[in-house]
Amino acid sequence: MELTILILLLPFFSFLILGIGGKWMSHRTAGTIGTLILGAVAVLSYVTAIQYFSAPRLEDGTFATLIPYNFTWLPFTETLHFDLGILLDPISVMMLIVISTVSLMVHIYSFGYMKGEIGFQRYYAFLSLFTMSMLGLVVATNIFQMYLFWELVGVSSYLLIGFYYTKPAAIAASKKAFIVTRFADLGFLIGILIYGYYGGTFGFTPDTVSLISGGASMLPLALGLMFVGGAGKSAMFPLHIWLPDAMEGPTPVSALIHAATMVVAGVYLVARMFPLFIAYAPNTLHMVAWVGAFTAFYAASVACVQSDIKRVLAFSTISQIGFMMVALGVCTSMDPHEGGLGYMASMFHLFTHAMFKALLFLGAGSIIHAVHSNEMSAMGGLRKYMPITHWTFLIACLAIAGIPPFSGFFSKDEILAACFQYSPVMGWVMTVIAAMTAFYMFRLYYGIFWGSEPLRAGSHSEHNTPKGNLEAAPCRPHESPLAMTFPLMFLAVVTCGAGFIPFGHFISSNGESYSIHLDPSVAITSVVIAIISIAIATWMYKNAKQPVADSLEKQFKGLHKAAYNRFYIDDIYQFITHKIIFRCISTPIAWFDRHVVDGFFDFLAWATNTTSDEIRGLQSGQVQQYAYVFLCGALALILLLIL
């Protein structure tokens, strides 16, 4: 455990080395340094996990909470102080595994995907910074340290999303992500300050004396505001608008940030504060569940009609994060047998989702690398040309659809079981959303690997390509190099086997060992519904011609258009910000500032300058003039005194 500090220091040093000295390195050298250092971090994370979970449990049946490093940075009172350190408990150790594994796969994958890109060294430096920030967030010993690394995650994601800074779309996407998440983080910061003031500490356990003196009544407000920050990071409705646009970044970045790590920060925050939610703010926790359910349904609806494969996966991510939030929100106690199952289910789904969603994004990157387009119209029939990508992508689709024996089935089944325990309505709502997930993922799968194969350019004639775009339809797609296919195969193996991990023995709501047992009624129902959804998608999208899909699109033209345009949520934000805030509020304020405030100070400057011009003649340097003025003044005073 003494080496855990290196888990944070190594990626930080990698960032410094590549950021400062990268311009003197070759692409191969920079990529090798970044990948080897991340490999060392992954090894340390696995060693830490093995040591932690193999240690004997405490007398109460829980794993010990270890703090190998901690020092006080800014002390205020005996209980209120800013600390920096490393905390190891079941969920933080699990997150170390998730972050280091996915980040290592992305580092390896980027060797092939980013080959020859301008700014290759800068890209690896930003990857290291992001990884360090995310690792620091999950091992934080207190809520303020979490906030520091939370903001570092935001900064590094801004740099990665805007990597192609010469593209206007990438610039706009990075600014949008940064502004939306900063707006949400303001709520997080206010919540932290309220929590610190009334809870008497920045630790994850509030001071008992402070709670007795009235602080407990303010904890629901503080926790609710913290959730706002989590909702921004995890792209919960209505703060979800940044995530689809963030796909403008390189595809490996999408796999790292928007599938496995950054977007689950909000889920991790709620899980970290879970005992406080249960004890002091159960109603706030249930609100989290319904926000998550609505977000999941909204995102699934939009994903069903998108044509850009990365946007389908982006909305799929939003929907799956909604599942995790719902699982946490439906908990009613700390006992996994009596209302606390959702906690374990949420963390289990976080783990499995990270693996198969990273696989989906990296598979999408491999496809985009082959056809040079994000649109499904430029794809079709790719299973013949890209067998490894095809089979690994299919495994990930089956996992997210909840088909046994793939990992997504086990975690999603536990979530549905927790939902049915909470409320039959919530259970059926989430079951329907799970069915929609299976449908849109296999719509995506058939659109890429089956369907009609577009005419591909056999020569340099533009007549053989869709819309005359040679880049959108290259001569012949090909399988990606080993640097890109190895991460796909590795993550596919993990996706096949992760469901059989006895996850409940490591992580549960009360920390005690919990044996996962599938509810047959829930499991059978969800699998049958998923198979029916896949069958419908197969019937509609497998063949070259899709008459059913086309007729439904025409019949529900308005609904289809609205869903394709994300139900105009972005347009509403644009209207509110540009037409109302900018035009009706910002413009008058700017006019007042420019003409009234600046005008007043300009007038003072002008008056001072003019007056000085008029009176500067009094300072002539002539003694006779000074004597004359002195005498005149003295005479005036005498006359004033006499009269």
Side-chain angles (χ1 to χ4, degrees):
M1 300 296 176
E2 292 77 16
L3 298 177
T4 49
I5 191 68
L6 294 177
I7 294 175
L8 293 184
L9 293 180
L10 285 176
F12 179 66
F13 289 144
S14 175
F15 165 67
L16 292 179
I17 294 167
L18 297 176
I20 298 172
K23 64 180 180 180
W24 294 291
M25 299 178 186
S26 66
H27 288 191
R28 182 178 292 274
T29 303
T32 302
I33 291 173
T35 305
L36 288 177
I37 289 177
L38 223 291
V41 171
V43 170
L44 285 170
S45 298
Y46 277 88
V47 170
T48 301
I50 293 169
Q51 288 180 347
Y52 182 82
F53 287 120
S54 61
R57 294 175 179 265
L58 301 176
E59 291 181 1
D60 60 355
T62 64
F63 286 106
T65 298
L66 306 177
I67 303 180
Y69 295 93
N70 192 65
F71 72 92
T72 301
W73 179 26
L74 292 173
F76 298 111
T77 67
E78 202 171 308
T79 59
L80 191 65
H81 39 79
F82 293 162
D83 291 356
L84 293 175
I86 292 177
L87 180 146
L88 298 178
D89 70 348
I91 59 170
S92 65
V93 173
M94 182 270 293
M95 288 299 296
L96 288 180
I97 296 294
V98 170
I99 296 165
S100 59
T101 302
V102 176
S103 186
L104 178 60
M105 293 299 108
V106 167
H107 275 72
I108 297 171
Y109 183 91
S110 298
F111 253 106
Y113 190 88
M114 300 297 289
K115 186 178 180 180
E117 286 280 359
I118 298 172
F120 186 91
Q121 302 92 329
R122 172 168 55 89
Y123 170 81
Y124 269 86
F126 292 164
L127 279 186
S128 297
L129 177 62
F130 176 85
T131 305
M132 185 274 295
S133 305
M134 198 65 212
L135 290 168
L137 189 156
V138 298
V139 298
T141 59
N142 58 88
I143 193 71
F144 190 81
Q145 181 187 342
M146 183 182 284
Y147 179 74
L148 290 180
F149 283 98
W150 187 279
E151 295 301 330
L152 268 178
V153 167
V155 171
S156 50
S157 67
Y158 167 80
L159 295 171
L160 285 168
I161 295 167
F163 175 76
Y164 298 118
Y165 60 86
T166 56
K167 292 172 58 181
I171 297 170
S174 61
K175 289 195 295 185
K176 188 175 186 178
F178 191 78
I179 292 169
V180 173
T181 52
R182 291 297 71 70
F183 179 78
D185 291 349
L186 178 61
F188 188 19
L189 179 59
I190 296 171
I192 290 172
L193 296 176
I194 294 173
Y195 174 77
Y197 183 80
Y198 289 99
T201 180
F202 288 115
F204 298 121
T205 304
D207 181 52
T208 307
V209 177
S210 300
L211 293 179
I212 294 172
S213 60
S217 61
M218 296 301 293
L219 281 186
L221 175 61
L223 293 169
L225 288 169
M226 289 183 194
F227 171 67
V228 171
K233 267 294 189 285
S234 292
M236 292 288 99
F237 187 93
L239 299 171
H240 68 282
I241 58 172
W242 66 270
L243 186 62
D245 290 353
M247 298 300 116
E248 292 294 336
T251 303
V253 170
S254 300
L256 179 62
I257 295 181
H258 311 124
T261 53
M262 177 179 169
V263 290
V264 300
V267 179
Y268 179 80
L269 172 66
V270 177
R272 173 60 69 201
M273 309 302 288
F274 181 76
L276 294 178
F277 273 105
I278 287 291
Y280 301 102
N283 292 330
T284 305
L285 195 61
H286 301 331
M287 181 192 71
V288 169
W290 288 108
V291 169
F294 181 82
T295 302
F297 178 75
Y298 164 81
S301 303
V302 175
C304 287
V305 299
Q306 296 297 306
S307 58
D308 184 314
I309 63 172
K310 286 181 71 176
R311 289 193 182 272
V312 174
L313 295 178
F315 281 102
S316 169
T317 298
I318 297 172
S319 184
Q320 295 303 301
I321 298 296
F323 268 86
M324 300 173 205
M325 287 291 191
V326 168
L328 287 169
V330 297
C331 292
T332 55
S333 75
M334 292 292 292
D335 187 348
H337 299 280
E338 297 179 7
L341 175 62
Y343 180 92
M344 185 278 298
S346 177
M347 295 296 100
F348 194 14
H349 197 59
L350 189 156
F351 181 83
T352 59
H353 173 263
M355 303 303 166
F356 62 67
K357 184 54 63 72
L359 174 56
L360 285 168
F361 267 108
L362 295 182
S366 181
I367 295 158
I368 293 166
H369 187 265
V371 303
H372 301 283
S373 176
N374 291 16
E375 293 292 326
M376 282 193 279
S377 58
M379 303 168 191
L382 292 181
R383 69 189 187 281
K384 295 181 292 186
Y385 308 104
M386 308 175 71
I388 296 174
T389 303
H390 167 235
W391 285 109
T392 54
F393 200 92
L394 177 59
I395 288 170
C397 287
L398 290 168
I400 196 173
I403 302 298
F406 303 100
S407 59
F409 161 73
F410 296 93
S411 57
K412 190 169 287 187
D413 183 78
E414 292 300 302
I415 291 177
L416 294 176
C419 291
F420 275 108
Q421 284 182 10
Y422 174 73
S423 164
V425 174
M426 180 66 84
W428 282 110
V429 166
M430 299 313 294
T431 302
V432 169
I433 298 170
M436 294 170 69
T437 303
F439 173 80
Y440 68 68
M441 287 307 305
F442 274 84
R443 169 183 176 268
L444 178 67
Y445 165 74
Y446 286 119
I448 296 170
F449 296 104
W450 294 76
S452 61
E453 188 174 343
L455 296 172
R456 306 196 186 273
S459 65
H460 290 289
S461 169
E462 295 189 3
H463 299 294
N464 297 330
T465 64
K467 302 180 182 179
N469 185 358
L470 279 171
E471 190 180 46
C475 295
R476 185 176 293 273
H478 56 86
E479 187 60 270
S480 301
L482 182 62
M484 294 172 66
T485 54
F486 171 75
L488 298 181
M489 293 184 287
F490 177 84
L491 290 170
V493 171
V494 174
T495 299
C496 291
F500 298 98
I501 297 173
F503 200 83
H505 289 294
F506 304 113
I507 295 172
S508 66
S509 52
N510 59 3
E512 298 175 8
S513 179
Y514 174 81
S515 298
I516 295 176
H517 48 275
L518 298 177
D519 186 333
S521 61
V522 175
I524 294 170
T525 303
S526 64
V527 170
V528 169
I529 291 175
I531 291 172
I532 293 171
S533 299
I534 294 170
I536 294 171
T538 306
W539 173 54
M540 292 176 63
Y541 296 104
K542 184 182 176 181
N543 300 320
K545 293 184 179 180
Q546 301 166 355
V548 178
D550 295 339
S551 71
L552 286 173
E553 182 180 341
K554 290 179 182 177
Q555 190 172 352
F556 301 97
K557 187 177 180 180
L559 181 61
H560 182 278
K561 186 179 179 182
Y564 187 81
N565 291 293
R566 315 179 204 177
F567 293 100
Y568 305 104
I569 301 296
D570 288 64
D571 300 278
I572 294 169
Y573 271 107
Q574 286 286 95
F575 177 81
I576 292 172
T577 53
H578 289 74
K579 302 295 185 182
I580 297 177
I581 297 176
F582 292 170
R583 182 178 293 179
C584 300
I585 300 174
S586 300
T587 302
I589 291 174
W591 182 91
F592 182 84
D593 180 65
R594 193 176 298 112
H595 292 89
V596 178
V597 178
D598 289 355
F600 174 71
F601 285 99
D602 290 345
F603 171 76
L604 286 180
W606 173 83
T608 303
N609 193 50
T610 303
T611 305
S612 64
D613 284 340
E614 293 297 326
I615 66 174
R616 67 183 177 180
L618 297 175
Q619 299 290 330
S620 63
Q622 297 178 0
V623 177
Q624 299 91 332
Q625 184 182 357
Y626 296 161
Y628 173 74
V629 173
F630 176 77
L631 290 172
C632 288
L635 182 60
L637 285 173
I638 292 167
L639 290 172
L640 184 64
L641 291 171
I642 294 172
L643 299 175

